[in-house]
Amino acid sequence: MFVWMVDLEEDIRSLQLDSAEDINGVVNPEDEKPDVDKMDEGLLSGSDPKQEVQAQSVEAEPKAKVKEILSVQDEEDEQMKKRHLNVVFIGHVDAGKSTTGGQILFLSGQVDDRTIQKYEKEAKDKSRESWYMAYIMDTNEEERVKGKTVEVGRAHFETDTTRFTILDAPGHKSYVPNMISGASQADIGVLVISARKGEFETGYERGGQTREHVQLAKTLGVTKLLVVVNKMDDPTVNWSKERYDEIESKMIPFLKQSGYNVKKDVSFLPISGLMGLNIKTRLDKSLCSWWDGPCLFESLDSIEVPMGDPKSPFRMPIIDKFKDMGTVVMGKVESGTIRDGDSLLIMPNKDHVKVVAIYIDENRVTLAGPGENLRVRLSGVEEEDILSGFVLSSAANPISTVTEFVAQLQILELLDNAIFTAGYKAVLHVHSVVEECEIVELLQQIDPKTRKPIKKKVLFVKNGAIVLCRVQVNNVICVEKFSDFPQLGRFTLRTEGKTVAVGKITAL
């Protein structure tokens, strides 16, 4: 009996080793490349070149089997043809981001009734009945006990035309750095606002996270925004058109001030995240007679996002890494295309690596393009030699590595009594990099109205100023000029838990 068990374990181990090796698959030779739209200033993401799924056959198979594998592959190809978008949920703490995200997953069939019942019971036991939907997104115990999202939750759902990755960003101001890492991967933003009496006002006032999140989303390249007015079913609101209009009228000037083209890039809609109303299907007229617009799924489907360029040099900032039959890195493709077997570089360390396997969600694919969230298994590098903020990059045309760059900065709001001058220190957030930095020199101030440089020499600037300056970081980082790769050339500066400036890199 014991010997038989050992033999069985050996068989299992050898099978695992086989599956870990690079598998010779059947690949469809046609490789359609999508046209690259002209991009508006600032967004480099969202395209979905045709994905080819690799059939995982270990041994040479008879012809009939090959046909079977191809038909499975074609079916998976069909799935991969859908465009892919990253949606970040942002807004003030307790606005209902996690609950709305959980409801979306439930309504799109990603979570079954039994799981929901389990969460309902768990929430009830904690005397938090209304939190059960949030538990779908808030998976760790700390988040459930506090009722606050800490990490960026990640989940997937599909509509008829689009595959979505939800990024559920924390709303609490202590976790803004986590929110930045979520928003820097997003193509579109869903700003969740609570319509409940007093809650909208708290989130919107000075110091509320609604304002900071909107400004950060714009800075981080989220050019399309869906503003969902949540908790419309609350007794203090009761689907009131007056309350909805009041919130919309207060938000529009602020969104314009933050740089959004409200007519073209922003849409508003009322929902109830907890009850799942106006999310997958339109609102019933008996419940809300004045709303005849789309539901949330229809709005998400109709958003047009410019595509990244699948033919430009490959860039994938690494947001996480782990060991799994080799070294696996996670990230979003910002530009270019990655294929099985590619030789790439991990910058800034210049480690030469080979692509062993590529995964989108749970599917193994043979290639992937801009906008896709990937797990990539690599050979040639150890997991401990990779840090968050490193970039998986084309070997022929690697990403730039610097310790100093020139940037155009807009000062938002300095801490009380602070002066922005040479020697000013802050924390720099650029794609997945978080690094301490210092302003070494102010080069020139720019007139906000004419956008032209002001002639006189500048020694310091105040809130609202736009300034060209030299920025120095402690360690080597991977960045690009904003004009070449917008997502890798835009950044925020934060001090003591507050966003003080946003900027774009103009020269390296």
Side-chain angles (χ1 to χ4, degrees), residues 16 341 429:
Q16 284 175 335
H429 293 259

Side-chain angles (χ1 to χ4, degrees), residues 205-244:
E205 282 162 13
R206 255 179 87 110
Q209 292 324 108
T210 305
R211 285 170 170 268
E212 186 174 18
H213 276 205
V214 168
Q215 286 170 332
L216 283 170
K218 182 65 183 164
T219 312
L220 295 162
V222 179
T223 58
K224 305 279 179 178
L225 204 58
L226 206 53
V227 183
V228 298
V229 182
N230 188 24
K231 306 191 187 181
M232 288 295 289
D233 59 319
D234 190 83
T236 65
V237 184
N238 205 11
W239 297 98
S240 151
K241 185 175 189 308
E242 289 71 28
R243 179 62 166 164
Y244 177 83

Side-chain angles (χ1 to χ4, degrees), residues 405-477:
F405 56 85
V406 175
Q408 183 179 308
L409 268 182
Q410 172 152 20
I411 313 299
L412 298 177
E413 196 176 348
L414 297 168
L415 298 177
D416 295 341
N417 306 323
I419 296 174
F420 195 87
T421 181
Y424 188 90
K425 288 183 169 67
V427 178
L428 170 84
H429 293 259
V430 53
H431 61 85
S432 52
V433 170
V434 180
E435 192 65 59
E436 289 188 4
C437 72
E438 183 179 338
I439 308 301
V440 267
E441 186 186 3
L442 302 189
L443 300 169
Q444 51 192 189
Q445 195 168 346
I446 292 160
D447 187 320
K449 291 196 178 95
T450 63
R451 297 274 160 182
K452 299 232 169 87
I454 296 168
K455 288 273 175 22
K456 67 177 190 185
K457 188 161 173 54
V458 58
L459 294 174
F460 66 93
V461 290
K462 295 178 182 171
N463 289 347
I466 299 173
V467 63
L468 203 64
C469 57
R470 275 195 312 123
V471 183
Q472 201 172 63
V473 284
N474 293 349
N475 296 303
V476 177
I477 58 167

Side-chain angles (χ1 to χ4, degrees), residues 1-10:
M1 178 74 171
F2 178 74
V3 173
W4 177 77
M5 289 286 285
V6 170
D7 287 348
L8 187 65
E9 281 182 20
E10 283 300 319

